[in-house]
Amino acid sequence: TYIGSIVASVNPYKSIPGLYDGAAVERYSKHHMGEISPHIFAVANECYRCLWKRHNNQCILISGESGAGKTESTKLILKFLSAMSQHSLELSCREKTSCVEQAILES
C-alpha cells in the first residue's frame, strides 16, 4: 500500500507470474504514483521522473528485517531504472541528439 511516496510491501516468498515482467515495467512507466495499484516500480518511476524531468536528486531507502526482500527490491528498482534509461537512449538516438547535447544547444 502507499503511504505518501512510500510503498510498504511484503515478501510473498514465492514467484507471482507477471508481477515484475516487462509488461509491468511498461505499465508503471506510463503512470504517476497513485494512479494505479501500489508497486515498487511506481516508486522507481517517480524517482526517475523527478531526476530527469525536474532535475531533482533522488534517493530510495529500502528497509526491512533479514530475509524481507531488500536485495530483491534493489534488483527490481535497478531493473526498472535500466529499462527506462534504455528507452530514453533509444528516443535520443532517434532524435539524433542526446540530453547532454540538447542541454548544450539550449545554453
Side-chain angles (χ1 to χ4, degrees):
T1 185
Y2 288 118
I3 306 165
S5 62
I6 299 170
V7 65
S9 62
V10 177
N11 185 348
Y13 296 102
K14 65 179 182 176
S15 180
I16 300 174
L19 189 59
Y20 304 114
D21 62 5
V25 170
E26 183 75 20
R27 184 171 49 256
Y28 282 90
S29 71
K30 294 180 178 180
H31 292 89
H32 290 278
M33 190 164 10
E35 291 181 345
I36 56 178
S37 60
H39 197 285
I40 195 164
F41 290 164
V43 173
N45 187 49
E46 186 66 18
C47 287
Y48 185 82
R49 285 175 185 252
C50 288
L51 181 66
W52 290 106
K53 306 286 184 190
R54 300 181 198 149
H55 304 286
N56 291 338
N57 293 332
Q58 298 297 301
C59 175
I60 298 175
L61 175 66
I62 300 172
S63 177
E65 299 289 330
S66 178
K70 296 179 298 295
T71 301
E72 292 305 314
S73 294
T74 301
K75 289 178 190 177
L76 290 167
I77 288 170
L78 292 174
K79 173 184 177 175
F80 183 90
L81 295 175
S82 176
M84 293 302 292
S85 295
Q86 183 64 35
H87 178 71
S88 294
L89 179 62
E90 290 168 1
L91 286 176
S92 67
C93 286
R94 274 189 240 138
E95 295 172 0
K96 303 286 189 224
T97 182
S98 70
C99 294
V100 173
E101 289 171 327
Q102 187 64 35
I104 291 170
L105 292 173
E106 291 174 359
S107 330

